[in-house]
Amino acid sequence: MKKSTKKTLMALFIVIIFGMSSIAFVVSSFGTEEQQQLQLLDTFVVDGDIDPLVEDAYIRAGFTFLKVYQNEETPGEVILFANQAPQTFTTNNGQTQLVVQKLTSETSYVKISNINGETDIFNVTVSNIFDVLCNNLVALPAECALHGLDI
């Protein structure tokens, strides 16, 4: 076989391999699994569970989760505070940064989680929750500064 014919065949072989790998990539991207679309939250106060993927997406976006594990011993003022917390702890430009999740539990406690980690509060009072939120929020709201000055 001539040297030029060998070169042509080798070039053709390489082009066919690249073409087949491209086709295989396109076909594999249409796999049987459909990508799950994340549902945005309708409200920033949620009763019950939230999809962990949605929670993770919100945390990566800078949100903080205030999870209130409640039972019959949970003080009513804590529930009222939790319902109003997303509007109270906004960023300085008015954006919501807090999602409240109310869950039924055998013990009454609060878990605050965001990109910086998790903190549990077992002495559930409005004052304790307020203080821990001010220490853990990603963006410190004006309410925390005013609270620190005792105004």
Side-chain angles (χ1 to χ4, degrees):
M1 207 184 278
K2 290 184 180 179
K3 197 173 192 180
S4 63
T5 307
K6 284 182 181 180
K7 285 183 180 180
T8 304
L9 286 175
M10 185 60 83
L12 183 61
F13 180 71
I14 291 172
V15 168
I16 289 172
I17 288 177
F18 280 127
M20 295 297 269
S21 68
S22 297
I23 291 170
F25 176 76
V26 170
V27 169
S28 68
S29 68
F30 289 117
T32 57
E33 286 185 36
E34 292 183 26
Q35 287 191 354
Q36 183 179 8
Q37 294 292 328
L38 293 179
Q39 296 290 336
L40 295 177
L41 297 175
D42 297 331
T43 178
F44 292 107
V45 178
V46 178
D47 288 318
D49 291 325
I50 295 175
D51 181 2
L53 294 175
V54 172
E55 180 178 343
D56 183 57
Y58 271 84
I59 286 175
R60 283 187 281 121
F63 280 81
T64 298
F65 275 77
L66 172 67
K67 296 180 181 181
V68 180
Y69 293 88
Q70 60 187 8
N71 59 18
E72 62 277 345
E73 297 173 7
T74 306
E77 62 267 9
V78 168
I79 304 302
L80 182 62
F81 172 80
N83 289 335
Q84 297 171 350
Q87 296 84 21
T88 303
F89 293 95
T90 59
T91 62
N92 290 333
N93 61 357
Q95 298 228 333
T96 302
Q97 66 173 334
L98 183 67
V99 176
V100 174
Q101 186 178 1
K102 297 188 296 186
L103 302 156
T104 304
S105 175
E106 291 181 12
T107 56
S108 180
Y109 70 101
V110 172
K111 180 181 294 248
I112 297 172
S113 58
N114 60 20
I115 200 154
N116 298 323
E118 292 183 347
T119 304
D120 292 329
I121 304 170
F122 293 103
N123 183 11
V124 181
T125 65
V126 171
S127 178
N128 287 346
I129 297 170
F130 195 97
D131 291 341
V132 174
L133 274 174
C134 286
N135 289 329
N136 287 297
L137 284 170
V138 175
L140 188 65
E143 286 73 15
C144 292
L146 294 174
H147 180 68
L149 295 173
D150 289 328
I151 297 178

